Amino acid sequence: MLMTRSNLERLEWYETIERMIGRCLPKKIVLLGFVWVKLNSDPFVLGVAVVTMMLIAIGEQLFLGSKKQKQVVHLSQDNEHHH
């Protein structure tokens, strides 16, 4: 097989995908296995974990939004003082 630039790029792409799957797939299988076992043995724990993660994500967004708003207000006040 003649290794043209196109074939070489395709081979590099396949190798990259293969490495990504090789690294991520075992972790995902273990995680899915853990979730499956927990779901069958104690679904309340998973429910609490999901709700907690949602609350953390919402709190993080609120915090980052308020911090960004404070920066915008501060920058606009700085611009008013300079003019």
Side-chain angles (χ1 to χ4, degrees):
M1 180 174 153
L2 182 61
M3 290 305 288
T4 63
R5 182 182 175 107
S6 175
N7 288 342
L8 186 58
E9 288 173 355
R10 190 176 301 129
L11 180 62
E12 288 173 356
W13 185 79
Y14 285 136
E15 289 174 351
T16 301
I17 296 298
E18 187 177 275
R19 279 193 304 269
M20 288 171 50
I21 291 172
R23 289 181 188 151
C24 297
L25 191 60
K27 294 174 187 175
K28 289 181 181 178
I29 291 172
V30 170
L31 178 61
L32 287 173
F34 172 76
V35 169
W36 180 257
V37 169
K38 269 302 184 191
L39 186 61
N40 288 318
S41 65
D42 195 6
F44 180 74
V45 171
L46 278 181
V48 169
V50 168
V51 169
T52 302
M53 286 188 287
M54 288 172 55
L55 289 173
I56 289 171
I58 291 168
E60 181 180 344
Q61 292 301 313
L62 291 173
F63 174 75
L64 291 175
S66 68
K67 188 174 181 179
K68 191 173 191 176
Q69 181 66 29
K70 287 178 185 175
Q71 287 176 343
V72 168
V73 169
H74 181 65
L75 287 174
S76 67
Q77 288 174 348
D78 284 349
N79 286 338
E80 289 175 6
H81 291 294
H82 292 290
H83 291 290

